[in-house]
Amino acid sequence: MKMAGSTLVSIVTPSYNHAGFIGDTLSSVANQTHPSVEHLVMDGGSTDGTVDVLSEYEDVDGYDLTWVSQPDEGQSDAINEGCAQADGDIVAWLNSDDVYFDAGVIARVVDHFDKHDADVIYGDIAY
């Protein structure tokens, strides 16, 4: 959902049979403080309940979730398809078994792009 004057961030999430993880992923995106985030989940036709979890998040207020569940040619294909559909000024990739560390991650990324002449920003990993 694009807010006036705010940089739109598109987050692409490839997914396949991650019902046990994707709820945490969706929550971590839905809870971001940046006001303009669209989340595109490209699911490869999961059969484990992933689609049920995605359906639960469709109507969360303030959360712009778009998802599709259909066979694809793997993770790279799903990421490429999501990027092709993304409308954001910034495009991020977050796997369906990963989460953003806190609710301010996207806001800090947008701030960093605004302050620096960067083409790519990447994060480290925390276990």
Side-chain angles (χ1 to χ4, degrees), residues 13-33:
T13 297
S15 175
Y16 183 68
N17 284 340
H18 271 166
F21 304 100
I22 198 163
D24 290 337
T25 304
L26 299 171
S27 290
S28 81
V29 175
N31 291 325
Q32 289 299 303
T33 59

Side-chain angles (χ1 to χ4, degrees), residues 71-108:
D72 57 32
E73 296 180 23
Q75 183 180 34
S76 296
D77 183 49
I79 294 165
N80 288 335
E81 181 61 29
C83 288
Q85 293 182 27
D87 289 324
D89 303 301
I90 298 171
V91 178
W93 158 23
L94 181 68
N95 285 328
S96 57
D97 59 352
D98 292 331
V99 297
Y100 287 120
F101 193 67
D102 62 57
V105 170
I106 298 301
R108 288 193 304 276

Side-chain angles (χ1 to χ4, degrees), residues 41-115:
V41 178
M42 311 309 290
D43 180 73
S46 293
T47 58
D48 70 339
T50 298
V51 170
D52 295 330
V53 177
L54 289 166
S55 294
E56 291 175 20
Y57 281 82
E58 282 180 325
D59 297 322
V60 172
D61 285 341
Y63 180 37
D64 184 4
L65 173 65
T66 301
W67 62 272
V68 62
S69 183
Q70 61 191 23
D72 57 32
E73 296 180 23
Q75 183 180 34
S76 296
D77 183 49
I79 294 165
N80 288 335
E81 181 61 29
C83 288
Q85 293 182 27
D87 289 324
D89 303 301
I90 298 171
V91 178
W93 158 23
L94 181 68
N95 285 328
S96 57
D97 59 352
D98 292 331
V99 297
Y100 287 120
F101 193 67
D102 62 57
V105 170
I106 298 301
R108 288 193 304 276
V109 167
V110 170
D111 185 57
H112 193 82
F113 271 114
D114 287 345
K115 289 181 180 177

